[in-house]
Amino acid sequence: IIHGLAQYQNTYHFPPRHRYQRKYPYAHVGRTLCQPPTRTLTETQYFFVDVSTLSSLGTQYQLRISRVDSFTLHTDKKFSFTASPSQPQYFKYVFPDGVDTAIVKVNSEMTFPCSVMSIQDIQCPVYDLDNNVAFIGMYQTMTKTAAITVQRKDFPSNSFYVVVVVKTEDEACGGPLRFYPLRPDELIDAGNRSKTLDVVVSPAISCESLSQAGQTVHHSQCSRKKCSCLSLSLSIYNPQSLTYCKGSYCFLSLSPPLSERSLESVTGRSRQESLSSIEEDDYDTLADIDSDKNIVRTKVCRYDCRIHTWWVGSVLLLTCSSLLQVVNVTGNQDICYYNFLCAHPLGNLSAFNNILSNLGYVMLGLLFLLIVLQRDIIHSRALDRNDLNALECGIPKHFGLFYAMGTALMMEGLLSACYHVCPNYTNFQFDTSFMYMIAGLCVLKLYQKRHPDINASAYTAYACLAAVIFFSVLGVVFGKGNMVFWIVFSVLHILATMLLSTQLYYMGRWRLDSGILRRIVYVIYTDCIRQCSGPISVDNSSLTYIVLLLFCLSRAAYGLLKTPNDFASYLLAIAICNLLLYFAFYIIMKLRSGERIQCMAMVCILFTAVVWGFALFFFFQGLSTWQKTPAESREHNRECIVLSFFDDHDIWHFLSSIAMFGSFLVLLTMDDDLDDVQRDKIFVF
């Protein structure tokens, strides 16, 4: 023990982040000395301690040097310790035989003070101060919990240091930040910033163990060499401290009814007229119905799958070109929001389990494409042999959108995997891009079933979807707290909904030109005041579209009032709600029209509903959130629940991929009951 005299306080300096540098007084400073290499067991090593002060007066201090007997951490054994800004702590862990990957967990009952947990290689000096702890290794800020998965291959010495540093301020953990002092040299009383923590190092599933993930991995306890270290403690004493019409109903009429034509006219028709064309110019569009307002002419054709799938592929290429930047190769684990308690690394992929679980989307998307291909081949063969049912009955078989839906499901899996390379607010737009695509394609397919004559072309549809994705990106960049953006978006949202509703209500029989306002006033006068005419279809009444407009207005009002930070999820919620409303409307109108749902479709509906329920349960578990600080997000982290490898979000990936596949099967099989019904008898709604 070395004694001296003093009247001045020791000062621990917080590194400058803002205009002024804060200064905090601490009466006790403690540092663990870096363990130096030794050449022989009998070698004697020396070190020097320098103590200085800026005071013109002498200072009294007490120097104590003690041996640290509990310096080496043992596998699956919890160790408790106390740290403070002036007393950082670090410990050594040596990989035992049979353990190639370990997860280091640090927990505390105290939310604050904010602290940092770092994993560093065995070297001197050890970076155990707030102003240098981010220099090397991997690190996380933490409140109550932190976890880092460590692999033996990254540490040549088969060992590493676990460093815990308590910060002098809580801003990095979402805590309060006091005002800066008017006088930069004024000392700030930090209060009691000591924090009690527990550290435990447990074996984790390594890359070599993935093929055996279903087995329980046992690790034998090996003998460990005890390590002792020196701790230097300096105490300073201080006093202060989305047709054909007959009557009021509409029917699908792609050609004259069988009763009006001879069988020879049907069988004598050339195959070129009955099969689908691959040119977009051969499709009937809205301009084809200008000559007749009630009899809507269409061709027995199918959208060529190549148009839709090429557009889907284009979106994928444009999106993936922006994903090369998301791999986090730095040691800063605050950049990405993982579930660190169940994050299994593979190379530079910090949470490989979240990436691997997206394989279900790809495999089920491919399976759906094969099912659609089988139906497409069966239908083409029926057309080749001039089968009457295929030519004159049932809803026209358009497979292009189905191919696009299956491709989009596969792409969703790929982009979701890309997002999970480094999940954060900026990258979430990649995860939602194909969700918008899937919702839009499903709405298009539902509308195409009963309106193949006025359905939007692939170019128009994908232009609209591109606009949605564009606004999603704008929302990510400018949406946070920007009222101007929300006003502009809400106005455009309402206008787009009104235009689309008018298009659907009048089945394309209107024009957007200079006389639009005069016609609107005339329609309101004749339909509402004089009541001279009614809607084309009783079921396509104004009430249906009023409900849709009210929903649109309510969502717009919510956005303006709440201005949610997660704009991508807000936009996705609008797309999904519109899809669900239209799907419910379709089912209700199908049953009301006297149609039935076959057993296969009913099983798909019930199965899909159940799976969606379970999937949403796991989705809302919220294992992390980038709407909070990284340290606060880690408080939501949970352990693996399946095979010690997959967590709740992985289960969401598995179940949601099955649910989406089931939803696609519902759309594919829902109108199979109409395959023997003449097309002029099929209701349009």
Side-chain angles (χ1 to χ4, degrees):
I1 299 177
I2 302 176
H3 296 279
L5 299 174
Q7 291 183 348
Y8 190 71
Q9 299 170 324
N10 176 66
T11 303
Y12 178 84
H13 296 279
F14 182 75
R17 287 188 176 183
H18 303 280
R19 184 175 180 181
Y20 299 113
Q21 173 176 309
R22 294 169 161 230
K23 298 179 181 179
Y24 300 86
Y26 294 96
H28 187 274
V29 175
R31 301 290 300 277
T32 301
L33 298 183
C34 186
Q35 183 182 17
T38 58
R39 291 186 291 270
T40 63
L41 294 176
T42 59
E43 179 183 1
T44 300
Q45 297 181 338
Y46 300 91
F47 63 92
F48 297 90
V49 179
D50 291 330
V51 181
S52 62
T53 178
L54 297 179
S55 174
S56 59
L57 302 177
T59 182
Q60 182 181 358
Y61 65 90
Q62 182 184 60
L63 179 64
R64 184 176 72 250
I65 302 173
S66 60
R67 183 186 184 95
V68 181
D69 294 323
S70 301
F71 183 68
T72 300
L73 299 174
H74 300 288
T75 306
D76 289 332
K77 288 187 178 180
K78 183 186 296 185
F79 178 74
S80 299
F81 62 96
T82 300
S84 68
S86 63
Q87 290 182 286
Q89 301 280 358
Y90 68 89
F91 307 93
K92 184 179 181 180
Y93 178 78
V94 180
F95 282 99
D97 293 339
V99 176
D100 294 325
T101 306
I103 178 170
V104 182
K105 304 174 186 176
V106 177
N107 300 290
S108 176
E109 296 294 332
M110 308 168 61
T111 302
F112 297 109
C114 180
S115 54
V116 179
M117 190 256 279
S118 173
I119 301 296
Q120 301 178 18
D121 203 354
I122 303 296
Q123 65 180 34
C124 289
V126 177
Y127 295 89
D128 60 347
L129 294 177
D130 191 22
N131 58 359
N132 63 19
V133 70
F135 285 1
I136 65 172
M138 301 174 289
Y139 65 93
Q140 296 177 0
T141 54
M142 67 167 286
T143 51
K144 289 186 175 182
T145 183
I148 297 181
T149 301
V150 187
Q151 301 181 83
R152 181 197 290 262
K153 65 181 182 63
D154 297 329
F155 297 92
S157 63
N158 292 330
S159 57
F160 56 87
Y161 284 140
V162 179
V163 183
V164 177
V165 176
V166 177
K167 302 176 75 67
T168 56
E169 294 178 348
D170 298 325
E171 181 184 17
C173 295
L177 181 64
R178 295 183 294 273
F179 294 105
Y180 285 97
L182 296 177
R183 291 176 294 178
D185 292 332
E186 178 182 352
L187 293 178
I188 304 298
D189 184 8
N192 182 16
R193 295 192 66 81
S194 294
K195 189 168 187 174
T196 301
L197 308 102
D198 298 327
V199 58
V200 60
V201 184
S202 305
I205 295 181
S206 63
C207 300
E208 293 78 7
S209 304
L210 291 181
S211 60
Q212 302 175 355
Q215 302 178 2
T216 304
V217 180
H218 296 280
H219 299 277
S220 60
Q221 293 292 335
C222 303
S223 59
R224 300 170 179 86
K225 181 180 178 181
K226 292 187 177 180
C227 177
S228 62
C229 205
L230 286 177
S231 175
L232 182 150
S233 179
L234 176 63
S235 299
I236 298 178
Y237 293 101
N238 173 28
Q240 307 172 7
S241 282
L242 288 187
T243 308
Y244 161 72
C245 299
K246 186 176 183 180
S248 58
Y249 291 93
C250 291
F251 306 87
L252 287 175
S253 180
L254 301 184
S255 55
L258 284 175
S259 59
E260 300 178 14
R261 300 186 301 125
S262 63
L263 180 62
E264 291 77 15
S265 64
V266 174
T267 57
R269 184 171 49 194
S270 67
R271 182 176 183 272
Q272 181 66 26
E273 296 176 352
S274 61
L275 294 182
S276 63
S277 171
I278 62 173
E279 299 295 335
E280 181 73 6
D281 294 339
D282 289 341
Y283 302 152
D284 287 322
T285 55
L286 296 180
D288 294 322
I289 66 172
D290 291 339
S291 61
D292 196 325
K293 303 301 182 183
N294 291 320
I295 304 298
V296 180
R297 177 184 62 86
T298 60
K299 296 182 177 72
V300 183
C301 66
R302 294 169 286 125
Y303 281 99
D304 182 51
C305 66
R306 288 180 293 178
I307 296 177
H308 290 281
T309 51
W310 275 114
W311 275 100
V312 172
S314 300
V315 175
L316 174 68
L317 291 176
L318 290 174
T319 307
C320 287
S321 62
S322 303
L323 284 169
L324 299 177
Q325 58 179 336
V326 302
V327 179
N328 179 23
V329 295
T330 69
N332 185 1
Q333 297 205 352
D334 284 353
I335 297 177
C336 309
Y337 290 72
Y338 302 112
N339 174 19
F340 288 95
L341 291 178
C342 185
H344 302 281
L346 179 64
N348 288 328
L349 304 176
S350 297
F352 181 66
N353 54 303
N354 289 157
I355 297 174
L356 182 63
S357 59
N358 284 283
L359 188 61
Y361 294 103
V362 179
M363 297 178 65
L364 290 176
L366 180 59
L367 177 59
F368 183 75
L369 288 177
L370 294 176
I371 294 175
V372 174
L373 178 61
Q374 181 189 32
R375 286 202 166 206
D376 194 1
I377 293 174
I378 293 175
H379 181 66
S380 297
R381 290 176 177 175
L383 293 177
D384 288 341
R385 63 175 181 266
N386 294 323
D387 185 274
L388 292 181
N389 280 344
L391 293 171
E392 304 297 336
C393 299
I395 288 180
K397 307 295 184 182
H398 299 276
F399 294 102
L401 281 171
F402 283 128
Y403 283 115
M405 289 161 56
T407 305
L409 183 59
M410 297 174 64
M411 298 306 102
E412 169 59 28
L414 292 177
L415 288 186
S416 178
C418 292
Y419 162 70
H420 282 286
V421 169
C422 183
N424 55 47
Y425 173 72
T426 304
N427 296 333
F428 187 58
Q429 57 182 301
F430 302 130
D431 191 30
T432 57
S433 293
F434 271 88
M435 293 184 185
Y436 304 137
M437 297 284 292
I438 291 173
L441 290 172
C442 289
V443 171
L444 282 173
K445 188 60 203 178
L446 277 172
Y447 190 74
Q448 185 192 60
K449 283 176 173 289
R450 306 285 170 153
H451 310 87
D453 50 330
I454 60 173
N455 197 54
S457 67
Y459 306 107
T460 302
Y462 287 98
C464 294
L465 290 173
V468 172
I469 296 176
F470 174 72
F471 272 101
S472 174
V473 175
L474 290 182
V476 170
V477 179
F478 304 108
K480 277 190 175 181
N482 192 335
M483 185 57 66
V484 175
F485 169 82
W486 282 97
I487 292 175
V488 172
F489 171 76
S490 298
V491 171
L492 292 177
H493 179 202
I494 294 172
L495 290 177
T497 304
M498 294 179 66
L499 292 175
L500 182 59
S501 299
T502 304
Q503 174 78 9
L504 298 178
Y505 181 76
Y506 287 100
M507 295 187 177
R509 300 177 346 192
W510 72 288
R511 291 191 183 94
L512 181 61
D513 52 26
S514 59
I516 185 66
L517 294 178
R518 175 178 57 83
R519 293 197 299 272
I520 289 176
V521 173
Y522 180 75
V523 168
I524 294 175
Y525 174 74
T526 56
D527 289 3
C528 301
I529 300 177
R530 292 289 301 275
Q531 296 184 353
C532 299
S533 63
I536 295 177
S537 172
V538 172
D539 297 310
N540 282 349
S541 63
S542 302
L543 180 60
T544 302
Y545 297 100
I546 290 176
V547 171
L548 291 176
L549 286 174
L550 288 177
F551 170 76
C552 169
L553 291 172
S554 64
R555 293 297 302 179
Y558 174 81
L560 286 172
L561 294 176
K562 297 294 184 179
T563 59
N565 291 330
D566 189 359
F567 180 78
S569 295
Y570 168 81
L571 196 58
L572 182 61
I574 293 177
I576 293 177
C577 289
N578 284 328
L579 173 59
L580 292 176
L581 285 174
Y582 189 35
F583 184 76
F585 169 78
Y586 191 96
I587 294 293
I588 293 173
M589 295 309 303
K590 179 177 178 65
L591 296 176
R592 187 166 179 241
S593 301
E595 300 174 4
R596 60 187 177 86
I597 300 178
Q598 289 186 339
C599 182
M600 180 63 182
M602 182 60 70
V603 170
C604 289
I605 292 175
L606 295 178
F607 172 78
T608 301
V610 172
V611 176
W612 269 124
F614 282 103
L616 292 175
F617 170 78
F618 286 99
F619 175 76
F620 288 113
Q621 294 305 302
L623 301 181
S624 62
T625 172
W626 30 254
Q627 298 191 46
K628 297 181 180 179
T629 63
E632 292 174 305
S633 172
R634 274 186 279 274
E635 295 182 15
H636 301 276
N637 288 179
R638 295 183 185 176
E639 301 279 355
C640 303
I641 61 173
V642 175
L643 303 177
S644 298
F645 188 78
F646 298 111
D647 60 14
D648 297 69
H649 196 74
D650 294 317
I651 307 305
W652 151 254
H653 285 163
F654 293 134
L655 294 180
S656 62
S657 61
I658 296 173
M660 286 187 184
F661 174 75
S663 300
F664 290 178
L665 288 181
V666 172
L667 290 177
L668 185 64
T669 62
M670 186 168 52
D671 291 311
D672 285 353
D673 60 303
L674 301 177
D675 286 349
D676 297 327
V677 179
Q678 295 182 15
R679 288 175 183 162
D680 60 322
K681 303 297 182 182
I682 299 176
F683 290 93
V684 173
F685 40 80

